[in-house]
Amino acid sequence: MRSLTINPHSGSYKDPDAFVIVKDDQCFRVITQNYSRQYTHLMESGLYKELVSHDLLIPHTEEDLIISNSFKVLLPQQVPFISYPYEWSFSELKDAALLTLDIQLKALEHGMTLKDASAFNVQFLGADPVFIDTGSFELLDKSRPWVAYGQFCRHFLAPLALMSYTDLRLNTLLSVNLDGIPLDLCVKLLPYRSKFNLGLFTHLHLHAKAVKRFEGKNKEVRSAQRFTVNHLINIIRHLRLTVESLGSSGQKTVWDDYYSHNNNYSEKAFQAKSEWISSQLEKRKTVVSSVWDMGANDGTFSRIPASKGMHVIAMDIDSNAVDVNYLRLKKDQEKHILPLVIDLANPSTANGWNTQERESLFQRPAPDLILALALVHHLVIGLNVPLQNIASFFAQHTRTYLLIEFVAPDDSQVKKLLLNRKGQFGDYTMTAFRLAFEQYFVLEDQHHLPETQRTLFLFRKKVNDQV
């Protein structure tokens, strides 16, 4: 057996009995002696095998490692990119909620229960949600209610209801409420008509009142009623029906049909763009394994690197576009693209305890290549970001390559952005673009798209001694 130096993950402090450590860029889970009985039951009852066989729980191997007070050290299947609930679209969060409830139902069948229902226990492998916290299971006490019920409502049901009944963007409330959206806040933001949904009335409106009523009182008051397993199963099933009843709000967003209308690409130009991107990626597929598609919209061009086996994070500010992308990926069973709702002007920051519990977007592994198509003019004109800053930004966050599109000032989409702003962006030119980017990158190839005012560039980041 080999020893392992303990380096606890900063987001794993809340469960001292089954915590995560990081060694050589791999995540291990340490099962302590205190959790040995629960872990043994998980493995021997058949629950672990059933969950893994249905792709509900991340599989692991037991490692021959020595750590003080450990019962087992597990090496789970590694997740390529860690994402957070406030970065998910409506359907992603909904599927994560249904996964959690399905796991709870299966746990009850095997004499166990989830002791927590945090949305952070779920990650995505492509378009497939999977539960990653092997230490969340405990032996079932048949006389107690589900201890994670309140957490499930805060982490899943509250944001889903707000997205469904009020506004898709309210999912961002999870970024400042890491233990879920407080129920009293949720019901204040929900419209009155949400009370006509029996599930929301029960699990949010009445639940919020109950929480308020018992605030500051002995917690034993809440669990005075004796429960049966059938009672628990009925509650979980009712929660599941409630989640299933929720649909996306249907609100119209700016970019959710970008590739269907007014995108300035003729069929010839669109095909030329796809073919050139494909050829550039094909030449580099042995050195590019990860791609960030910034401004991915519905993921149309994300599918090109994915088709070559590259792992793609498809980012966009538009919740509808991300949701459309995710639902298509589910239908196609695509495993290489993870769509996320990301605002590049205000991306996910480090937060939580000591601002180290959850990583910022740029603390997570950088990609080998950034794809930035039809994006620069929005950053320059829409957000007033200088070309120099944009070039520096991309150089900071790609390991090697940048495949970027420049949209010229006489393009009709740029002209729309420039309405009522004449004279403010005289330095937005092809010459200025190249000067800014060639400070940080070496130009490897470029291609003007036919029948457009748009040009694609393939840049390679300069090594340190060249900058």
Side-chain angles (χ1 to χ4, degrees), residues 80-104:
F81 189 89
I82 297 296
S83 62
Y84 301 128
Y86 41 84
E87 299 170 337
W88 299 342
S89 72
F90 176 83
S91 295
E92 286 175 303
L93 185 62
K94 182 175 180 178
D95 283 351
L98 294 174
L99 171 83
T100 302
L101 295 174
D102 288 342
I103 288 174
Q104 171 65 357

Side-chain angles (χ1 to χ4, degrees), residues 287-323:
V287 292
V288 174
S289 62
S290 58
V291 174
W292 284 6
D293 187 354
M294 293 183 161
N297 197 261
D298 65 4
T300 294
F301 289 101
S302 301
R303 283 156 175 75
I304 299 175
S307 70
K308 301 179 187 302
M310 301 171 185
H311 187 265
V312 184
I313 306 300
M315 309 176 186
D316 203 274
I317 191 175
D318 191 290
S319 297
N320 270 356
V322 174
D323 213 47

Side-chain angles (χ1 to χ4, degrees), residues 339-352:
L340 296 176
V341 181
I342 300 287
D343 178 359
L344 293 179
N346 186 27
S348 305
T349 58
N351 56 18

Side-chain angles (χ1 to χ4, degrees), residues 245-256:
S245 75
L246 298 175
S248 178
S249 65
Q251 70 190 78
K252 200 68 179 169
T253 50
V254 176
W255 305 108
D256 59 4

Side-chain angles (χ1 to χ4, degrees), residues 112-168:
M112 301 199 84
T113 184
L114 289 175
K115 64 182 179 182
D116 59 70
S118 168
F120 293 101
N121 288 342
V122 180
Q123 287 298 320
F124 282 84
L125 298 176
D128 296 324
V130 64
F131 200 80
I132 63 167
D133 191 354
T134 312
S136 280
F137 300 88
E138 67 179 4
L139 296 174
L140 176 64
D141 181 344
K142 297 180 181 180
S143 66
R144 296 178 61 206
W146 186 27
V147 294
Y149 168 68
Q151 190 177 42
F152 179 88
C153 293
R154 296 191 304 273
H155 279 238
F156 290 110
L157 191 57
L160 284 170
L162 289 171
M163 294 172 81
S164 180
Y165 278 80
T166 307
D167 195 290
L168 287 170

Side-chain angles (χ1 to χ4, degrees), residues 258-270 273 374 377 405 407-416 449-454:
Y258 177 73
Y259 288 115
S260 300
H261 302 94
N262 302 319
N263 58 45
N264 279 31
Y265 297 110
S266 65
E267 185 176 340
K268 181 179 180 181
F270 190 88
K273 182 174 180 176
H377 57 300
E405 182 175 9
V407 183
D410 48 358
D411 182 276
S412 65
Q413 295 297 316
V414 177
K415 289 179 179 179
K416 287 180 183 178
L449 296 176
E451 302 176 355
T452 74
Q453 303 298 322
R454 304 181 175 212

Side-chain angles (χ1 to χ4, degrees), residues 156-393:
F156 290 110
L157 191 57
L160 284 170
L162 289 171
M163 294 172 81
S164 180
Y165 278 80
T166 307
D167 195 290
L168 287 170
R169 293 167 293 184
L170 289 177
N171 190 37
T172 57
L173 286 174
L174 288 170
S175 67
V176 291
N177 295 278
L178 293 186
D179 195 29
I181 298 173
L183 298 189
D184 62 329
L185 173 61
C186 174
V187 298
K188 286 177 183 177
L189 295 174
L190 284 172
Y192 186 83
R193 62 188 176 88
S194 65
K195 293 184 177 182
F196 296 104
N197 180 313
L198 180 60
L200 296 186
F201 181 70
T202 302
H203 300 296
L204 292 182
H205 291 279
L206 291 182
H207 189 174
K209 287 184 178 180
V211 170
K212 188 71 174 176
R213 187 165 64 250
F214 289 120
E215 259 182 3
K217 295 184 179 180
N218 190 320
K219 292 184 180 180
E220 289 301 314
V221 174
R222 304 185 196 183
S223 57
Q225 178 183 356
R226 294 191 64 81
F227 285 77
T228 66
V229 174
N230 284 338
H231 189 180
L232 293 175
I233 290 173
N234 288 336
I235 291 173
I236 304 305
R237 286 176 175 169
H238 193 249
L239 275 171
R240 200 181 195 289
L241 288 172
T242 303
V243 171
E244 286 184 322
S245 75
L246 298 175
S248 178
S249 65
Q251 70 190 78
K252 200 68 179 169
T253 50
V254 176
W255 305 108
D256 59 4
D257 59 355
Y258 177 73
Y259 288 115
S260 300
H261 302 94
N262 302 319
N263 58 45
N264 279 31
Y265 297 110
S266 65
E267 185 176 340
K268 181 179 180 181
F270 190 88
Q271 183 176 351
K273 182 174 180 176
S274 300
E275 289 176 352
W276 193 81
I277 292 171
S278 181
S279 68
Q280 294 298 322
L281 294 175
E282 181 67 26
K283 294 174 186 176
R284 294 163 180 84
K285 67 180 182 179
T286 59
V287 292
V288 174
S289 62
S290 58
V291 174
W292 284 6
D293 187 354
M294 293 183 161
N297 197 261
D298 65 4
T300 294
F301 289 101
S302 301
R303 283 156 175 75
I304 299 175
S307 70
K308 301 179 187 302
M310 301 171 185
H311 187 265
V312 184
I313 306 300
M315 309 176 186
D316 203 274
I317 191 175
D318 191 290
S319 297
N320 270 356
V322 174
D323 213 47
V324 167
N325 190 10
Y326 173 72
L327 293 173
R328 287 178 183 168
L329 295 171
K330 278 184 64 179
K331 181 180 178 181
D332 297 341
Q333 298 185 322
E334 169 60 59
K335 304 296 184 183
H336 291 95
I337 302 175
L338 173 59
L340 296 176
V341 181
I342 300 287
D343 178 359
L344 293 179
N346 186 27
S348 305
T349 58
N351 56 18
W353 176 250
N354 200 25
T355 66
Q356 295 180 4
E357 191 174 345
R358 308 298 170 195
E359 294 179 328
S360 74
L361 175 65
F362 300 122
Q363 287 174 312
R364 286 169 263 180
D368 300 313
L369 180 145
I370 287 177
L371 199 58
L373 304 175
L375 176 65
V376 171
H377 57 300
H378 292 291
L379 299 178
V380 173
I381 302 169
L383 297 175
N384 285 59
V385 183
L387 280 168
Q388 175 76 24
N389 295 37
I390 296 170
S392 173
F393 169 84

